[in-house]
Amino acid sequence: MRTRTFTLTAATSAVCGAALLGPAALPATADVPVPGTPPDTRAGLAPEALTDASVSAEELLAEVRSCRQISRGKYRTDANSSKATVPVCGTTDAVFWKADMDIDCDGRKTKACNTRTDPYFQSQTAFQTSRGKPLDSARLPFVVVPAPGRIWDYRKSGLTGGSVVAVIHKDQVRYAVIGDTGPAGIIGEGSYALAEELSIDPHPTTGGAASGVTYIAFKDSRVSPIESRAKAESRGEELARAFVGRDEGVLPLRGR
């Protein structure tokens, strides 16, 4: 919920300043038959193996190559950014944006997240646990969405606290929930725990990723309790499989 005003350090920017992730071609499987090998024993992934495999970053990114903008304008990635460059895009089943990742360390006070480690620390989060307590940003992977405003109101896109989000950085996919809100004109923030999961420096003031993070928030996907990482991961994988066309039974057929 904090207003972000810090700037990533030069060292962090150098490491994280790669171009925004774009769709990558799916790797070819090694299915070249060996001469004389019976068809049913040739190398390559069996259909059931492909079905059971986790959804990859490449598969998800292929579904969000083009943007049907649903936001009325664009967002800045930081309070000191001079230009607003990030639109919120929509499909039938999800909304998505491609931005940076600043670190949210708000909520429960911990060794990692407190007023000493984070000068912008706030003891509350927009959404609470099933016991009415602030979320623990050091333990729970969650995404911060902009507070409702003239640019976009996440609530009108079928999203709320606990909605499942697939977050992609480089070749990694992690599933999180919407857990906090930020300034109405800024987008691109995740919890300390989410950054750790994606191998991003989680330090609340010097960490984060300057670019290259894709957020895919699935509509009407709220999990309960919000603090259950297992439920978010299970539901996220299920929704992702439907999103890339592996299981059309989970989500309605998509209209791009």
Side-chain angles (χ1 to χ4, degrees):
M1 295 168 62
R2 61 192 172 86
T3 300
R4 294 164 296 166
T5 58
F6 64 86
T7 305
L8 292 177
T9 62
T12 304
S13 298
V15 175
C16 303
L20 279 170
L21 281 175
L26 290 174
T29 54
D31 55 0
V32 179
V34 178
T37 304
D40 58 348
T41 60
R42 290 173 181 171
L45 290 176
E48 61 271 18
L50 178 61
T51 301
D52 292 338
S54 295
V55 177
S56 69
E58 290 84 358
E59 288 176 281
L60 287 168
L61 291 172
E63 295 295 315
V64 296
R65 283 179 293 190
S66 60
C67 173
R68 179 176 65 85
Q69 184 170 330
I70 62 170
S71 57
R72 292 184 177 181
K74 296 181 180 181
Y75 285 95
R76 292 177 295 156
T77 55
D78 290 291
N80 57 4
S81 297
S82 59
K83 293 183 179 180
T85 59
V86 181
V88 175
C89 312
T91 74
T92 301
D93 310 319
V95 299
F96 64 91
W97 56 96
K98 301 177 182 182
D100 64 343
M101 181 183 285
D102 291 330
I103 308 302
D104 188 328
C105 222
D106 296 338
R108 181 181 176 186
K109 186 177 181 180
T110 62
K111 181 178 180 181
C113 295
N114 55 68
T115 55
R116 293 189 305 276
T117 60
D118 182 4
Y120 304 104
F121 176 80
Q122 295 185 27
S123 60
Q124 298 296 319
T125 49
F127 304 102
Q128 290 77 44
T129 69
S130 55
R131 295 185 177 184
K133 302 294 184 181
L135 301 180
D136 185 344
S137 57
R139 294 180 61 87
L140 179 66
F142 66 76
V143 168
V144 180
V145 292
R150 79 172 173 80
I151 300 177
W152 178 54
D153 185 341
Y154 66 87
R155 300 170 300 185
K156 295 181 179 180
S157 295
L159 304 177
T160 188
S163 292
V164 178
V165 186
V167 187
I168 305 157
H169 179 248
K170 297 184 179 179
D171 61 349
Q172 297 186 78
V173 180
R174 295 293 183 271
Y175 298 103
V177 293
I178 291 176
D180 204 357
T181 59
I186 298 174
I187 203 166
E189 189 171 2
S191 69
Y192 184 106
L194 177 58
E196 278 195 318
E197 288 281 311
L198 290 166
S199 302
I200 293 172
D201 180 357
H203 194 282
T205 57
T206 60
S211 63
V213 183
T214 299
Y215 305 79
I216 304 173
F218 299 106
K219 299 178 181 179
D220 304 313
S221 62
R222 179 177 178 270
V223 295
S224 183
I226 190 174
E227 66 268 24
S228 174
R229 294 181 63 159
K231 286 191 176 182
E233 290 168 3
S234 175
R235 183 62 174 152
E237 183 66 29
E238 180 183 32
L239 290 164
R241 290 163 69 87
F243 190 66
V244 301
R246 288 206 205 166
D247 183 358
E248 297 290 353
V250 178
L251 291 171
L253 292 175
R254 299 178 301 285
R256 296 285 186 241

